[in-house]
Amino acid sequence: MKQIVIIGGGFAGINLAKNIAGKTGFHVMLVDRNNYNFFPPLLYQVATAFLEPSNISYPFRKLFQKMDNISFRTGELLEVIDSRKKVVLSTGELYYDYLVLATGAETNYFGMENVCKNALPMKTINDALELRNHFLQTLEQAAYVTNESERKKLLTVVVAGGGPTGVEISGMLAEMKQTIIPKDYPELSCHGYESHIFLVDGGQHLLAPMSEESQQDTWLALNDMGVEIMLAKQVKDYKNDVVEFADGDSIETKTLVWAAGVSASVFEGIPKESYGRGKRLMVNGFNKVQGMENVYAIGDTCIQTSDPRYPAGHPQIAQVAIQQGINLAKNFSCMLIHEKPNPFQYYDKGTMAVIGTKKAVVDLPKPKMHFQGSFAWLIWVFVHLMFLITNQNRIRTLYNWAGTYFTKDQSLRMIIRPIKKNNSNFNFY
């Protein structure tokens, strides 16, 4: 059997594994730092307490229960030793015939140490839960604090990054401000305390990769919802509760949500020459890492310039990762029986972003079409439900969305933090 080791169980890794499942001649070991797969496009709904983590995540071991040739191990990649076809993990060592790096992307703070230290990212389930707790705790503090300046900072949120993540969380916070906070926190609404949601981006447009119609529709919708949009605004620093911009302006806030950029990871044992823009691994048309013999990379962690329609590399979105995982699975089967593998070509199925309830934008490439409003929102709902990994996730998420749609509310706003016990000092009451 050919041993395939996949590092990373996101869109790329999980689709590669699932498309090799049941095929003779292969055994797959999938390695991930978490013991569950999760759906990143809906992290913002966990962060704003509209979904539970279990709605968008699922344990790997349960997913692979009926896939006899798929195994799982928790761990992080420390080193690749390609000459020995071996990887060193935080939990041991593995040998491989083929190694596939599908580690996705991590938050990029562009070298700003204070932003890295003080801002709140949103790349993982842990990030989303931390953000949820932070949002709720700042509201609780604002409800009783007496200092006006301190209250204003608590009720001001700055979201950095005008891509889908920034747009979606800004829209969700704006809806909460209109429909939920007045009911949950009457002590804030009855006194008319000032609150702000700022969406800032260093570029000239929101949703830069999408059409001009989508950009304009998104700007208008967010503006109508009360989001204060600041374009061509680059964050320079964030310290002492002050977001500083490159043009000298600043905003006082206790909350800076960082959705402004991503980069890939660097691993010991991978030649420096194999890395390209954004630390992404340069791969050929078959997703083999340049300068390495048995190592492949798929998804956000790689950059592929051989696709004639994308000479600068594919966008770092879910559809690219999914399609690369499926294509590589087919190519491994071809290589096993000595057939010629097929180079990867990305099929663009369109892009979309949700702004709020019954507010979304959708761009379709062929035929070139643009939708906005309720119809686009229904498309977004359907697509995101279908991309969830199991029917159980789909049912749970649909149930929560239906409840929220009809009531404009939900009951998930709980601050839950694990507390470490001091075993040497038990107190009984």
Side-chain angles (χ1 to χ4, degrees), residues 187-201:
E187 55 268 70
L188 295 177
S189 59
C190 68
H191 290 94
Y193 291 137
E194 188 177 7
S195 65
H196 298 276
I197 301 168
F198 293 97
L199 176 57
V200 302
D201 191 87

Side-chain angles (χ1 to χ4, degrees), residues 60-295:
F60 285 116
R61 290 188 181 277
K62 184 168 178 58
L63 183 65
F64 297 149
Q65 278 180 358
K66 297 181 180 179
M67 303 177 189
D68 294 337
N69 66 330
I70 311 289
S71 301
F72 173 74
R73 178 184 287 193
T74 56
E76 294 192 38
L77 178 62
L78 301 180
E79 184 179 3
V80 178
I81 307 175
D82 193 35
S83 60
R84 297 179 60 189
K85 295 187 177 180
K86 183 175 80 171
V87 289
V88 180
L89 308 173
S90 58
T91 53
E93 298 178 349
L94 291 173
Y95 289 88
Y96 61 82
D97 292 296
Y98 301 114
L99 172 64
V100 182
L101 299 174
T103 48
E106 58 188 26
T107 304
N108 186 359
Y109 298 100
F110 305 102
M112 293 180 286
E113 293 183 11
N114 289 325
V115 173
C116 178
K117 180 181 178 181
N118 300 315
L120 294 159
M122 199 167 55
K123 289 294 293 180
T124 67
I125 292 284
N126 289 339
D127 291 340
L129 289 175
E130 185 67 26
L131 199 52
R132 183 180 78 176
N133 287 333
H134 176 85
F135 282 145
L136 296 173
Q137 285 178 318
T138 55
L139 287 170
E140 293 294 335
Q141 287 179 264
Y144 64 76
V145 74
T146 56
N147 183 285
E148 185 177 342
S149 175
E150 192 72 6
R151 186 190 305 112
K152 184 177 179 181
K153 286 192 289 185
L154 288 165
L155 294 176
T156 297
V157 176
V158 177
V159 179
T165 300
V167 164
E168 288 165 356
I169 197 165
S170 297
M172 188 66 82
L173 289 172
E175 288 195 338
M176 290 178 67
K177 179 180 174 181
Q178 294 172 358
T179 62
I180 291 175
I181 293 176
K183 294 182 290 185
D184 276 12
Y185 299 91
E187 55 268 70
L188 295 177
S189 59
C190 68
H191 290 94
Y193 291 137
E194 188 177 7
S195 65
H196 298 276
I197 301 168
F198 293 97
L199 176 57
V200 302
D201 191 87
Q204 300 291 333
H205 306 282
L206 299 176
L207 302 177
M210 296 189 70
S211 67
E212 289 185 15
E213 294 93 336
S214 288
Q215 293 168 2
Q216 185 67 17
D217 290 339
T218 300
W219 193 96
L220 290 171
L222 287 174
N223 188 63
D224 289 343
M225 295 166 73
V227 177
E228 299 172 59
I229 302 166
M230 303 170 66
L231 300 176
K233 212 76 168 172
Q234 293 184 337
V235 175
K236 185 180 72 173
D237 206 351
Y238 179 46
K239 59 184 178 181
N240 301 321
D241 299 334
V242 178
V243 178
E244 299 177 9
F245 298 98
D247 60 4
D249 288 345
S250 63
I251 298 174
E252 292 188 336
T253 179
K254 292 281 187 181
T255 307
L256 172 60
V257 180
W258 192 256
V262 295
S263 69
S265 303
V266 174
F267 300 107
E268 187 73 25
I270 305 289
K272 293 181 180 179
E273 297 76 20
S274 297
Y275 290 97
R277 187 178 69 252
K279 302 178 184 177
R280 296 163 74 182
L281 287 165
M282 295 186 293
V283 297
N284 65 12
F286 307 98
N287 285 92
K288 181 185 284 189
V289 176
Q290 293 184 19
M292 306 197 77
E293 192 58 37
N294 304 290
V295 181

